[in-house]
Amino acid sequence: MAFPRQPYSFVRRGDRLSPKRQKAWDEHADEWVLDIPRVMTDTSVDPAYRLDRQAVFGRVAPLVVEVGSGLGEAIVSHAAAHPELDHLAVEVYKPGVADLLMKAAQAGVTNVRVAQANAPEVLEHMLEPGSVHELWVFFPDPWHKTRHHKRRLVSPGFADLAARVLEPGGLWRLATDWQEYAVVMREVLDGADADFENVHPGPVADDEHPDAGWAPRWEGRILTSFERKATEAGRIPRDLTYRRR
């Protein structure tokens, strides 16, 4: 199935790199950015392609996948703290990928790889069923205008793909700084055909109880520059954690 028939959850920006990012790309992209066969766009995934984890990482270890890794702050930090885990960053923006490569090189981590690709296609085609230990979706674009809600990443269709790749007992960790989107995320996962169990169940927050029903902030998620700016702007990040049944 080709995903261009669905609205993308992202809009491509410029891929021009600064000298530092270009240097990181030139030095590390061949080794750490996956060579994914395409079928249509440069972010598509050939439906026949499967990730060979042994070939890519040199081992088969529990796999953490972050969708929308941004500048790579969270996943590189976690990879450095957990060398026993492998990490796959899914990101479409080349400057963000280049920044991730720079951070990974500076941290000396060897357990991070990057898929520069459309996330739903990665989950449907590239990853084997039950192959993911943890899936992260931190601060996806909220597409807060009503006419753009169809572009939101966290949807029933994406929940089905997440359920496909997560191992039994695997965790899906989410965070957003938009209250309305946080409620939608929870509604989507609570209604995902019983594939997921809320690790921190409780009443959905409302105007009178805005702090009700969320997961505590996960200590494994470092404070990124994006989250810091959101907090400074007065938005309150909300965390959700779901377990694959």
Side-chain angles (χ1 to χ4, degrees):
M1 172 177 154
F3 272 84
R5 288 177 299 201
Q6 296 184 191
Y8 282 118
S9 62
F10 61 88
V11 174
R12 293 297 295 275
R13 302 188 183 96
D15 282 344
R16 190 172 181 179
L17 301 180
S18 67
K20 285 186 177 180
R21 285 174 169 169
Q22 187 64 59
K23 183 174 185 292
W25 185 273
D26 293 342
E27 292 179 352
H28 303 293
D30 285 346
E31 181 181 4
W32 295 341
V33 179
L34 302 182
D35 183 14
I36 299 172
R38 315 294 185 176
V39 288
M40 296 185 70
T41 68
D42 60 359
T43 59
S44 66
V45 177
D46 187 326
Y49 176 62
R50 302 291 180 271
L51 179 68
D52 184 340
R53 292 161 62 188
Q54 179 68 53
V56 166
F57 290 99
R59 64 178 184 177
V60 177
L63 181 65
V64 175
V65 176
E66 181 178 20
V67 170
S69 54
L71 300 178
E73 295 161 288
I75 200 163
V76 170
S77 174
H78 196 267
H82 295 277
E84 77 280 6
L85 303 176
D86 287 335
H87 297 73
L88 177 66
V90 182
E91 178 57 61
V92 295
Y93 303 119
K94 188 173 182 179
V97 174
D99 222 66
L100 184 156
L101 298 178
M102 188 162 47
K103 289 181 174 68
Q106 292 169 350
V109 301
T110 59
N111 56 336
V112 176
R113 300 293 184 271
V114 183
Q116 191 176 7
N118 182 31
E121 294 178 73
V122 171
L123 269 57
E124 183 175 21
H125 304 309
M126 200 175 103
L127 299 175
E128 297 287 353
S131 63
V132 175
H133 182 62
E134 287 195 8
L135 177 66
W136 301 349
V137 178
F138 297 148
F139 303 100
D141 194 323
W143 293 103
H144 54 274
K145 293 182 180 179
T146 301
R147 68 177 184 272
H148 291 155
H149 284 182
K150 61 186 178 182
R151 289 183 174 272
R152 285 178 167 174
L153 180 69
V154 181
S155 64
F158 189 80
D160 289 342
L161 296 176
R164 174 187 178 274
V165 299
L166 276 167
E167 66 187 18
L171 296 180
W172 186 1
R173 301 185 187 277
L174 307 97
T176 179
D177 56 315
W178 288 87
Q179 176 79 11
E180 182 266 342
Y181 195 14
V183 173
V184 169
M185 286 180 173
R186 180 165 171 164
E187 291 173 349
V188 166
L189 271 74
D190 284 346
D193 295 329
D195 286 331
F196 294 99
E197 171 192 7
N198 192 341
V199 178
H200 300 279
V204 174
D206 56 27
D207 291 341
E208 294 182 3
H209 307 90
D211 296 320
W214 307 111
R217 189 187 191 284
W218 178 46
E219 61 183 11
R221 177 166 62 79
I222 67 166
L223 182 64
T224 64
S225 55
F226 180 92
E227 184 177 356
R228 188 179 300 110
K229 291 176 182 177
T231 303
E232 290 172 353
R235 298 192 298 274
I236 302 173
R238 303 297 188 190
D239 281 68
L240 291 165
T241 306
Y242 279 77
R243 181 181 293 112
R244 178 72 165 93
R245 294 185 190 276

